Amino acid sequence: MSHILENHAVIDGSRLAYGVHGEGEPVVLLHGTPSSSLIWRNVVPRLVAAGYKVHVYDLLGYGRSERPVDPSVDTSVSAQVPLLEKLLAHWELDTVHLVGHDFGGGIAQRFGVFHPDRLRSLTLMDAVCFDSSPSRQAQEQLAAGLEALIKAPDDEHRAHFRQWLLSAVWDKEAFAAGPLETYVEMISGPIGQGSYFQHQARHYQAKHTMEVADRLPELGRLPVKIIWGADDAWQSVTWAERLHRTIPGSELSVLENTGHFAPEDRPEEIADLLIAFLAKASRQGRAA
């Protein structure tokens, strides 16, 4: 992950790890949970090669960004929106192409509703939306209660999350042989295990997306692309179809043999879809 996160910025007193790559129109990639910018590692080089300036960062409470010690620090979907706005100011970006996966898609929806003038286009990928969070799998995981899960033995915690993360991909063999242990490590150990439940799982609440659900049709004023894995076991493709019906003029692409972690299963296809969509959105913007 170090090859795409090379810098850090202090935003509202918290340290965010980020990377900026390439030159051209600005694109910002938002990851989800339990994840980090690691998920974009095979997409970023293709966007850069296509002539885009790609910005990635780890959300507050995730990956290589700060894991706040103070439990009052909010790391929810809603709280991440003003942090993104201030990070754009740090990068001196007025408008961007915004791409959000999973919880990053929830952040992107709120950002698009509240700050549509800052977006050149919006892409939602296997995104939480409406009342889709927490998913059935997350509900089952959280049934034991946060305190019990925080205190679970390390080996039990890691074994559980290996299986849970494997359910996020279609090609389980490749994922297990590749980045699986890196994903597990980020949410395990003396810091990672407690941080995952404190900064991520406790915010698995539908209120953050439901607050803007009635305003999603407003996003039709923007070029909007929806990308989904046909085999997404965490966020069913029916949510993609509902988003597509709700956002006028949106485009929907469903990828076969692809799970919830679509950038892991199909990075080349996703990069191709993004490159084509971003070019089209840019042409529309110039013509407007």
Side-chain angles (χ1 to χ4, degrees):
M1 186 164 52
S2 60
H3 68 293
I4 61 171
L5 296 180
E6 302 169 341
N7 303 290
H8 75 271
V10 177
I11 306 294
D12 285 352
S14 297
R15 182 185 58 79
L16 299 181
Y18 74 86
V20 180
H21 306 274
E23 294 296 335
E25 290 191 53
V27 180
V28 176
L29 305 178
L30 301 177
H31 68 81
T33 176
S35 185
S36 73
S37 294
L38 175 70
I39 203 166
W40 299 117
R41 69 194 182 284
N42 295 321
V43 176
V44 169
R46 292 171 171 82
L47 294 179
V48 169
Y52 291 96
K53 189 171 187 177
V54 184
H55 302 70
V56 290
Y57 72 102
D58 284 353
L59 301 172
L60 180 62
Y62 292 68
R64 294 178 61 193
S65 287
E66 185 174 338
R67 313 290 185 94
V69 175
D70 184 352
S72 69
V73 175
D74 190 355
T75 56
S76 68
V77 164
S78 296
Q80 302 282 355
V81 173
L83 292 175
L84 171 58
E85 188 177 11
K86 292 172 183 177
L87 194 52
L88 294 182
H90 175 79
W91 288 329
E92 299 182 339
L93 297 176
D94 293 325
T95 61
V96 300
H97 296 286
L98 187 60
V99 180
H101 175 256
D102 184 74
F103 262 43
I107 297 165
Q109 287 165 57
R110 292 183 67 94
F111 194 91
V113 166
F114 297 133
H115 306 288
D117 57 315
R118 305 296 303 275
L119 297 186
R120 304 183 186 195
S121 73
L122 176 64
T123 300
L124 303 175
M125 190 181 309
D126 296 272
V128 296
C129 54
F130 303 104
D131 58 350
S132 72
S133 178
S135 65
R136 177 181 58 80
Q137 291 87 348
Q139 291 177 39
E140 293 172 355
Q141 167 202 320
L142 297 172
L146 289 182
E147 286 303 314
L149 292 166
I150 288 172
K151 296 175 181 178
D154 180 72
D155 58 343
E156 293 181 12
H157 171 84
R158 290 173 185 266
H160 170 79
F161 277 94
R162 284 190 188 97
Q163 293 306 309
W164 193 48
L165 284 161
L166 280 170
S167 72
V169 297
W170 181 79
D171 191 342
K172 293 173 173 48
E173 184 175 345
F175 191 62
L180 173 60
E181 290 305 317
T182 302
Y183 279 99
V184 171
E185 188 62 35
M186 285 189 290
I187 57 171
S188 302
I191 296 176
Q193 182 170 335
S195 175
Y196 164 70
F197 293 109
Q198 174 67 28
H199 301 125
Q200 301 183 41
R202 78 181 181 97
H203 296 299
Y204 290 178
Q205 301 170 341
K207 67 178 184 179
H208 304 289
T209 44
M210 286 302 292
E211 284 175 356
V212 297
D214 289 343
R215 297 186 60 183
L216 290 180
E218 298 173 23
L219 297 177
R221 293 176 291 183
L222 299 166
V224 176
K225 180 75 172 181
I226 301 166
I227 302 174
W228 225 267
D231 306 282
D232 189 334
W234 292 13
Q235 297 287 320
S236 166
V237 73
T238 57
W239 294 112
E241 294 163 350
R242 184 174 175 185
L243 277 174
H244 182 44
R245 292 193 304 268
T246 301
I247 303 174
S250 61
E251 301 178 4
L252 172 61
S253 294
V254 177
L255 303 180
E256 298 297 326
N257 300 330
T258 305
H260 182 67
F261 276 18
E264 290 291 350
D265 277 326
R266 297 286 177 264
E268 297 89 354
E269 290 89 337
I270 284 172
D272 289 345
L273 286 170
L274 285 174
I275 291 165
F277 171 66
L278 298 180
K280 180 180 177 180
S282 296
R283 290 193 298 269
Q284 292 174 344
R286 288 192 293 270

